């Protein structure tokens, strides 16, 4: 507890709620980090901007902090999500800002963009749902149950994993990107026509 | 063997003479004369792939539960139409590639029509005697835009549902007759079960039939009036220089068809288009940002985004804001386009028939006007995707939209002036080099033919 407040709170917030991703060295929400082993690994590895606590804390202290995070701070338990239920919930609750393809979108009214959700860990997504960083709304347990959160997380991680069928997805920018590609096709064909009219030479 | 069959046929039908005259029909050679042909072949591909898809598509909005092979949608309620599109995409052999080819062919069909239109405009090929064919071409463009919209709307996914609602609102905003128009097209207040079957019937019967008929008329008129030609040595309004329909032109044209098919097939295989499974089924309570129409409607979408939000009151009647950018603006654009051959007569005071084209620099005003309109439409087109571009470029959207509003005025002016200046320079340089030849008076559309 004491170690957490001293070492971790400045980045992850006193109750593990996290700091808005808009800040450069922002620690994400920790409410779904319910596995002491995983927290321990994070302390040893020091992901991205987080320091490696191997050199700062003793092993016993690291274990104490991990247990504290996993048992006191963590409150979301992710298990057995339902993929298609998650898809429906995502489209209804999240797609309006993060786009159906989870690639992020523009929020006119606050002047920030909802970030892309590709490559985010399950715990980070679950934490963000409950905590609501920045302008994002909060979804407390009365709105989305743990099972529903797990379903949404499953869906978000599914959509980015298997290569989407049908070829290059153009980063899922949608019809705008498709339109540009179509025009490349048209210009290519105009080039072909010019080549044909030159008698197919050079 | 072949010769004896041909003789047998000829002795019964007397077709040989007729066939020979057809085969000797002359087409001038220039790459810009084949743009319309790209569109024609895209249409052929659309019909072929569309026929295949019609075997599997179920144009009904009956509520069903999905049990196909796309895991994240299993057990989800959706319309039968959307389910059949998923079935086609994931469970029918070659279904997805055919579907993607169809969509790419549609985007390219419209691109080729637009390129063809620009060629006709900038070389003044719409002049007498070809005003009628210009109007047929414009009608084809309108029908193609409408049918493209119908085509992606009947998939009944979340993205097209958003588009459908916009189309519905635009139609509804038309003063007085709006409600009747929407009931005719959509069968009620959407979402309503009559919509998809109605749009489907229009998409696969009514509009393709109209398009095919008008393409026939378009080509027949080109045949009857002969093709235009660029100015050059030995060419005038009475003499046409080019290659014969058979063999040279036919072979060239078959080659082009194969190339168009190859490009469409490559796009259909390697680039995803309209991934409806990502968008999910249409639900009236769900929405997605970054929603755009296909490119050929982007300019109308952009106009709606840039247009200020003003509601006009006429006494007790209200004209909603979408009417102006969504209906009136495209209507005015097309009316001006239809009228342009006649407007051009007033500009140039030239009422004669022409078979030789006017080069862009010989008509600086028309060229400048065309460039300005093109710049305006391009700004609108960009505005139609401004949210996606803002996210991709990391620029604030509100700021970008303000900039585009200014650009919508500045870009056409600037482009017009620059185009005019360039045309004038070229014209002056050329007229110094070759003294202008007096044009021969020419009234009828029959021409002599000179073959290579």
């Amino acid at each position: 507890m004491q170690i957490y407040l001293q070492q971790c709170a400045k980045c992850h917030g006193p109750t593990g709620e996290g700091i808005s991703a808009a800040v450069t060295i922002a620690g994400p929400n920790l409410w779904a980090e319910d596995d002491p082993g995983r927290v321990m690994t994070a302390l040893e590895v020091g992901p991205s901007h987080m320091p490696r606590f191997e050199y700062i804390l003793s092993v016993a202290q690291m274990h104490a902090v991990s247990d504290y995070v996993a048992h006191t701070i963590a409150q979301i338990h992710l298990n057995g999500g339902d993929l298609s239920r998650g898809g429906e919930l995502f489209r209804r609750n999240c797609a309006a800002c993060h786009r159906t393809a989870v690639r992020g979108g523009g929020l006119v009214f606050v002047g920030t963009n909802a970030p892309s959700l590709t490559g985010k860990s399950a715990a980070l997504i679950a934490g963000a749902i409950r905590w609501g960083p920045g302008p994002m709304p909060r979804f407390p347990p009365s709105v989305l149950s743990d099972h529903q959160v797990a379903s949404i997380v499953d869906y978000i991680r599914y959509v980015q994993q298997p290569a989407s069928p049908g070829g290059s997805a153009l980063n899922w920018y949608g019809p705008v990107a498709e339109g540009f590609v179509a025009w490349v096709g048209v210009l290519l064909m105009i080039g072909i026509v010019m080549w044909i009219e030159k008698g197919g030479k050079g | 063997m072949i010769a004896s069959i041909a003789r047998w046929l000829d002795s019964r039908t007397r077709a040989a003479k007729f066939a020979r005259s057809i085969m000797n029909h002359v087409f001038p050679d220039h790459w810009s004369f084949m743009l319309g042909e790209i569109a024609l072949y895209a249409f052929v591909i659309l019909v072929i792939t569309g026929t295949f898809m019609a075997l599997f598509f179920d144009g009904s909005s009956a509520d069903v539960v999905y049990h196909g092979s796309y895991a994240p949608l299993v057990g989800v309620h959706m319309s039968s139409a959307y389910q059949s599109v998923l079935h086609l995409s994931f469970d029918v052999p070659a279904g997805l590639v055919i579907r993607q080819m169809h969509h790419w062919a549609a985007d390219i069909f419209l691109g080729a029509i637009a390129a063809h239109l620009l060629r006709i405009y900038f070389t003044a090929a719409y002049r007498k005697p070809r005003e009628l064919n210009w109007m047929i071409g414009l009608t084809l463009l309108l029908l193609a835009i409408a049918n493209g919209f119908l085509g992606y709307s009947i998939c009944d996914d979340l993205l097209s549902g958003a588009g459908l609602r916009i189309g519905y609102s635009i139609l509804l905003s038309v003063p007085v007759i709006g409600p009747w128009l929407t009931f005719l097209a959509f069968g009620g207040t959407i979402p309503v079960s009559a919509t998809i079957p109605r749009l489907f019937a229009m998409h696969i019967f009514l509009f393709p039939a109209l398009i095919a008929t008008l393409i026939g008329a378009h080509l027949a008129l080109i045949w009857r009036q002969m093709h235009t030609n660029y100015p050059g040595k030995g060419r005038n309004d009475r003499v046409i220089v080019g290659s014969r329909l058979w063999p040279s032109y036919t072979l060239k044209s078959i080659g082009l068809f194969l190339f168009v098919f190859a490009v469409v097939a490559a796009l259909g295989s390697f680039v995803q288009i309209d991934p409806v499974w990502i968008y999910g089924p249409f639900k009236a309570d769900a929405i997605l940002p970054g929603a755009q129409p296909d490119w050929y409607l982007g300019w109308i979408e952009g106009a709606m985004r840039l247009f200020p939000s003003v509601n006009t009151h006429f006494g007790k009647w209200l004209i909603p804001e979408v009417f102006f950018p969504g209906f009136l603006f495209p209507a005015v654009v097309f009316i001006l386009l239809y009228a342009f051959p006649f407007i051009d007569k007033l500009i140039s005071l030239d009422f004669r028939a022409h078979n030789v084209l006017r080069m862009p620099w010989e008509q600086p005003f028309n060229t400048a006007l065309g460039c300005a309109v093109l710049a305006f439409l391009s700004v609108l087109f960009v505005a139609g995707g401004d949210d996606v571009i803002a996210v991709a470029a990391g620029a604030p959207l509100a700021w970008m939209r303000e900039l585009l509003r200014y650009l919508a005025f500045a870009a056409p002016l600037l482009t017009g002036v620059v185009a005019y200046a360039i045309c004038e320079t070229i014209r002056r340089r050329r007229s110094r080099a070759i003294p202008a030849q007096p044009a021969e008076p020419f009234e009828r559309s029959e021409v002599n033919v000179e073959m290579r």
Side-chain angles (χ1 to χ4, degrees), chain A residues 121-144:
Chain A
S121 72
L124 192 148
I125 298 169
I129 295 176
R130 281 276 186 270
W131 161 51
M136 174 169 152
R138 282 163 200 215
F139 299 87
S142 54
V143 177
L144 292 175

Side-chain angles (χ1 to χ4, degrees), chain B residues 138 142 170 174 299-300 323-339:
Chain B
L138 284 172
L142 266 178
I170 291 176
V174 179
W299 55 289
I300 301 181
F323 172 71
F324 300 100
F327 193 92
L328 194 61
F329 162 63
V332 167
V333 168
F334 269 93
I335 289 172
L336 287 180
L337 278 171
Y338 273 105

